[in-house]
Amino acid sequence: MRRWLWRIVLLAAVLAVLLALLAWWLLRASLPALDGEVALPGLSAPVQVQRDALGVVTIEAGDETDAMRALGFVHAQERYFEMDLLRRTAAGELSALFGPVALDLDRGHRTHRMRARVEARLGDIAGERMPQLVAYAEGANAGLAALRARPWPYLLLRREPEPWRPSDSVLAGYAMYFDLQDAANADELALWRLKEHLPPPLYALLTHPGSAWDAPLQGEPFGDATLPGPDEVDLRRLPAPAGAEQDGATTVAAGSARQAWTPWATTPPADGLLPGSNNFAVAGSLTIDGRAIVANDMHLGLRAPNVWFRARLRWPDAAAPGGQVDVQGVTLPGLPAVVVGSNGHVAWGFTNSYGDYADWALETPCAASGAARPGATACAAVDVHRERIAVARGESVELEVRETRWGPVLHELDDGRLLSLRWTAHLPGAVDLGLAGFARVADLDQALALADRTGIPTQNLVLGDRHGRIAWRLLGPLPVRADGCNPVAPTPLADARDEPAYDGAGEAAGCTPWPVASNASPLAASPGHDRLWTANARVAGGDDLARIGDGGYDLGARASRIRDLLQARGRFTEADLLAIQLDDRAVLMNRWRELLRALADEGPTLRMLAEVAEDWEGRASPGSAGYRVVRAWRLAVHERLRDGLLAPARAAMGERFEAPSLRQFEGVAWPLVRQRPAHLLPVRFATWGELFEDAARQVHDELTAHGPLHERTWGERNTAAICHPLARSIPLGRRLLCMPPDPLPGDSMVPRVQGPAFGASERMVVAPGHETDGILHMPGGQSGHPLSPFWGAGHDDWVQGRATPFLPGPPRHTLALRP
């Protein structure tokens, strides 16, 4: 018996070794080709693919179509799984890969029917760039087929990758709409629902559109809110929810809430941080040799590998300046274009614009006969589409999608009326391949003209050219609303004709289903502006702001800090702009620290927090316990103030209550904590001191649960958790598939935006025509394969803020692609 046991143990050990060797072979077999020669059908001439020490790719091709075919080949070999996630996210097809766990997200996204929209308009979307779109797809499929085994995530999921289609590249672009805009338009809906339950002065206070941190390029700052008097609002005389004395919890609108982490998420959760960016530029009048310098860092969810892929693309082109395209920067695997970068003549970068790009309509559906229902003066025809969602290892699910001429129906009210959504992403012109044209623009004028016919999720575009000129404008579609249309309240559409609707008070609302246009942006340019900055806050004012709308602008703290740093100098180099990107000085938190210190005698817990706050560097630095305490206390105070001001709506709405995100609430909170009016004190507190002490107790209890308060540093909280999407799915996944858990400087209110899994997805500083002096680094590395030499390559430069060269280094690997 003992002998048989030993034989069984030995056999099991041999089998385990064989399985490990098989797994190792399969992993190695899915590595991309780096050297040698590979046949790529469809090429008109040989193409050379070089990689430097960081895996940055340089593609030398005979024409643009061959370059895009080669780019598709490289993207697929390095990042096919990530490409797949993008197209499936936009199309609502993740369940076919991950199973029932993805059904809720698929249902939400499939309601928008993006694949159907793309396939119906593909010819118009691609236009004259259809050959490059097809070549990219064919190159991607050839790159996938050239791997000796399917990419390793599919082995883990036990699924086969599906071929890439030209329409999938467009869906990859639409995935960024879901990332950067709210497809549920939840804040606007939440504001509409709670408005009727609040006194107008209280609603106006909560929705105050700015703060003392406003730093627009155009128009005036709004400043902090003016508090209403006791004759206008007195919280003690307004209804409050039962138990308000004990419980002030608020339900946040679905589109604004922090989403649960999922392996397919293009933006992992980020503790409430907004997807956004910084970009800024200085004109040649502010540099020693007349060069314009552009800086850009796009803030997204961070993962390994990074969302971007660094590449340099070169090909002869008679339409390009000097007859040669030489464009470099970051690409998005799935798209045949350089997204952000420089072509030697023009450099460009983006930040998310947060305009109002979606509106609700309140519609009465027609009866089955097509006539208006009893009591309704008009009705909306409703089309029904049945979408089938495939589910891995399960039965497919049918989803009924209803649409009116306004857009898909997302909600039905108790009285049978429908809320349908009009979103720029649904309309012709939302996405096209115009972005690829930036590879060959010769100067600022050509770039601005190209922007008039380019469709992407609407961004703040900052440009600089080799002549020293700079400019800002919006890039992407804007709604063309009729005069008098109120984009905040749901539009009560009149009937199937495009006649003005009425707002219920007898006044014409003026709203009809609107188209979009990409050529209606305001402009700020040199010589009138020698410094430009955007940071997801409001940029414009007046009539321009009325056209763009407010889709949830970020607080202006980052923008104002960047503005102040730009205005503090008279001369700039690339290193100076990188220093601004890396600035972590906590200017906004300084005044909250001083307030905390001033309140130290108001309660024992306030005193303890104030003592820790004496350890103060004035920065969001990893070693600072003071910063962490002040930051947490500010948020706790905000929470209590919001709950108190929203209490009347909560009392009236009960379980139906959802709070909007109120991005500008700092402009309300600061006047409140400075003036401390009794009539605006939340009813659950007897005094303002009690409110401040209660917030301090929450912070103290949460932090001391992990040890002494003075040891709870910001770096302990702000530790990198940058992982592959499947890291949680395998044993030792965090060790094998995550970047090092470095304590990170920075936060959301400083230029150096960094959270555990959120922050600058790249930092670029470049002067067109002077790329050798440029800087570009990014987290997570180039390759999606943990056995690749480029897994995590360059990540530490990003962590440390080192000035990695913008241009690729000497080639370490050369791959020849032949027809």
Side-chain angles (χ1 to χ4, degrees):
M1 179 64 69
R2 189 178 294 120
R3 257 196 321 269
W4 277 108
L5 286 174
W6 277 110
R7 289 173 181 173
I8 292 171
V9 169
L10 181 61
L11 179 61
V14 170
L15 288 174
V17 170
L18 290 175
L19 286 173
L21 289 173
L22 176 62
W24 181 261
W25 181 87
L26 288 171
L27 276 173
R28 298 287 304 175
S30 62
L31 281 167
L34 303 181
D35 297 287
E37 187 175 281
V38 175
L40 180 53
L43 287 177
S44 63
V47 173
Q48 185 180 78
V49 179
Q50 295 180 331
R51 288 173 170 87
D52 70 2
L54 297 179
V56 179
V57 167
T58 298
I59 294 175
E60 295 268 3
D63 60 31
E64 182 180 15
T65 303
D66 280 356
M68 294 304 113
R69 189 178 300 273
L71 183 64
F73 181 95
V74 171
H75 276 169
Q77 290 230 313
E78 296 278 13
R79 301 281 195 89
Y80 198 81
F81 178 66
E82 288 73 25
M83 294 166 61
D84 198 7
L85 294 187
L86 285 176
R87 65 175 172 180
R88 289 180 182 274
T89 296
E93 297 171 354
L94 290 161
S95 299
L97 190 61
F98 295 101
V101 68
L103 267 173
D104 285 346
L105 185 61
D106 274 355
R107 288 189 182 102
H109 286 197
R110 187 67 70 89
T111 300
H112 299 277
R113 301 181 63 246
M114 289 307 191
R115 184 173 290 283
R117 296 179 196 278
V118 169
E119 291 179 350
R121 304 172 188 155
L122 185 60
D124 292 335
I125 291 171
E128 62 182 16
R129 304 196 63 81
M130 182 64 83
Q132 289 77 39
L133 188 65
V134 171
Y136 180 88
E138 292 175 350
N141 290 325
L144 181 63
L147 297 172
R148 291 177 295 151
R150 55 188 155 165
W152 68 269
Y154 297 98
L155 296 171
L156 186 63
L157 294 167
R158 292 177 295 166
R159 308 298 297 170
E160 290 289 339
E162 295 183 2
W164 194 261
R165 291 166 282 187
S167 58
D168 291 334
S169 288
V170 183
L171 285 169
Y174 273 109
M176 301 311 291
Y177 265 100
F178 286 101
D179 233 17
L180 300 172
Q181 298 180 14
D182 179 11
N185 203 23
D187 273 346
E188 193 168 293
L189 184 59
L191 286 169
W192 173 66
R193 284 172 167 166
L194 66 82
K195 184 176 183 179
E196 66 176 297
H197 302 293
L198 294 174
L202 179 53
Y203 180 83
L205 176 66
L206 282 163
T207 57
H208 181 71
S211 74
W213 302 97
D214 290 351
L217 286 176
Q218 300 176 337
E220 296 300 317
F222 293 139
D224 288 339
T226 299
L227 301 181
D231 56 330
E232 297 176 284
V233 177
D234 189 339
L235 294 181
R236 307 283 164 164
R237 298 178 181 176
L238 292 174
E245 309 81 41
Q246 291 82 30
D247 181 12
T250 295
T251 301
V252 180
S256 307
R258 176 180 174 182
Q259 297 180 345
W261 184 91
T262 50
W264 52 82
T266 52
T267 300
D271 300 309
L273 302 186
L274 285 170
S277 307
N278 302 322
N279 64 358
F280 45 99
V282 293
S285 58
L286 300 177
T287 62
I288 194 168
D289 57 3
R291 67 179 69 181
I293 311 177
V294 174
N296 181 234
D297 47 295
M298 296 180 283
H299 307 151
L300 295 169
L302 304 180
R303 66 186 185 194
N306 190 30
V307 65
W308 309 114
F309 185 86
R310 291 184 62 180
R312 182 180 190 178
L313 308 178
R314 295 168 53 87
W315 68 87
D317 190 324
Q324 175 74 29
V325 166
D326 186 358
V327 60
Q328 50 267 309
V330 297
T331 64
L332 179 67
L335 282 179
V338 171
V339 176
V340 162
S342 176
N343 68 5
H345 303 271
V346 175
W348 68 97
F350 302 138
T351 71
N352 200 27
S353 61
Y354 287 101
D356 184 2
Y357 305 128
D359 290 339
W360 293 104
L362 187 59
E363 304 184 272
T364 301
C366 296
S369 64
R373 296 187 178 190
T377 58
C379 66
V382 179
D383 295 325
V384 177
H385 305 274
R386 286 180 170 80
E387 297 279 326
R388 187 165 297 277
I389 302 175
V391 181
R393 300 174 295 279
E395 296 292 326
S396 61
V397 174
E398 186 174 276
L399 177 69
E400 181 180 279
V401 178
R402 294 181 293 171
E403 286 190 6
T404 71
R405 67 191 180 116
W406 190 262
V409 175
L410 300 192
H411 301 279
E412 182 171 348
L413 304 186
D414 293 341
D415 61 7
R417 288 183 297 170
L418 308 176
L419 280 168
S420 50
L421 183 70
R422 195 162 192 83
W423 183 24
T424 55
H426 297 149
L427 303 177
V431 167
D432 57 33
L433 300 181
L435 185 63
F438 280 91
R440 58 166 61 88
V441 292
D443 55 31
L444 203 64
D445 297 328
Q446 287 189 16
L448 292 171
L450 176 62
D452 279 343
R453 53 184 190 274
T454 296
I456 63 171
T458 309
Q459 302 288 293
N460 290 302
L461 170 67
V462 167
L463 299 155
D465 72 9
R466 67 185 304 153
H467 306 296
R469 298 186 298 162
I470 59 173
W472 162 84
R473 60 158 290 164
L474 295 177
L475 178 67
L478 290 175
V480 183
R481 297 181 175 97
D483 291 340
C485 179
N486 178 6
V488 177
T491 295
L493 291 186
D495 54 32
R497 300 183 302 276
D498 286 345
E499 295 179 355
Y502 289 85
D503 63 6
E507 297 181 2
C511 288
T512 58
W514 38 258
V516 298
S518 293
N519 61 353
S521 171
L523 175 68
S526 56
H529 295 263
D530 56 7
R531 299 167 175 87
L532 295 170
W533 61 89
T534 79
N536 314 121
R538 179 175 63 88
V539 178
D543 292 341
D544 288 331
L545 177 61
R547 287 190 300 112
I548 300 166
D550 182 352
Y553 293 118
D554 202 1
L555 185 69
R558 274 188 296 122
S560 62
R561 177 63 177 164
I562 293 169
R563 175 202 61 192
D564 293 347
L565 290 170
L566 288 173
Q567 292 179 345
R569 298 181 65 95
R571 284 285 182 268
F572 293 90
T573 66
E574 285 83 351
D576 296 325
L577 269 63
L578 176 63
I580 295 175
Q581 291 178 321
L582 298 175
D583 180 76
D584 60 4
R585 187 168 295 280
V587 179
L588 181 144
M589 295 299 171
N590 281 331
R591 65 184 191 179
W592 284 89
R593 181 206 178 221
E594 292 306 314
L595 177 63
L596 178 59
R597 295 174 70 200
L599 294 168
D601 293 334
E602 294 285 330
T605 320
L606 284 165
R607 186 177 303 110
M608 284 188 281
L609 265 59
E611 289 173 356
V612 176
E614 292 300 319
D615 171 27
W616 186 254
E617 304 172 24
R619 298 180 179 276
S621 54
S624 175
Y627 178 81
R628 185 176 182 183
V629 163
V630 172
R631 178 188 190 274
W633 182 70
R634 169 184 172 269
L635 292 176
V637 172
H638 270 222
E639 179 185 359
R640 284 152 179 77
L641 296 176
R642 275 196 309 269
D643 289 343
L645 297 177
L646 289 167
R650 286 182 60 219
M653 300 174 69
E655 293 182 356
R656 297 183 299 110
F657 173 80
E658 290 183 341
S661 55
L662 304 178
R663 304 290 184 195
Q664 304 298 320
F665 193 70
E666 176 73 15
V668 177
W670 189 248
L672 284 171
V673 300
R674 294 293 293 169
Q675 300 175 35
R676 303 173 206 170
H679 63 286
L680 295 178
L681 175 66
V683 296
R684 57 183 288 218
F685 302 106
T687 67
W688 281 95
E690 184 181 318
L691 183 151
F692 297 136
E693 174 71 6
D694 187 67
R697 277 196 299 269
Q698 176 188 332
V699 173
H700 175 272
D701 292 348
E702 290 177 354
L703 294 184
T704 56
H706 304 283
L709 191 62
H710 69 276
E711 295 179 4
R712 307 278 65 80
T713 65
W714 178 235
E716 178 188 61
R717 159 69 174 70
N718 204 40
T719 298
I722 301 170
C723 299
H724 189 277
L726 297 181
R728 299 187 184 188
S729 304
I730 63 172
L732 300 177
R734 286 190 174 274
R735 180 183 296 272
L736 300 174
L737 297 177
C738 295
M739 297 296 104
D742 298 297
L744 299 173
D747 196 5
S748 59
M749 298 296 178
V750 300
R752 190 171 189 164
V753 172
Q754 284 183 171
F758 183 91
S761 59
E762 47 75 54
R763 294 190 192 100
M764 178 189 79
V765 183
V766 64
H770 301 271
E771 283 74 13
T772 54
D773 300 326
I775 300 163
L776 178 58
H777 58 220
M778 67 183 198
Q782 280 276 90
S783 178
H785 201 299
L787 299 184
S788 168
F790 310 125
W791 170 262
H795 175 82
D796 192 59
D797 292 340
W798 174 84
V799 171
Q800 304 300 331
R802 286 192 288 265
T804 308
F806 177 79
L807 291 176
R812 296 286 185 90
H813 301 274
T814 300
L815 178 68
L817 301 177
R818 55 177 175 78

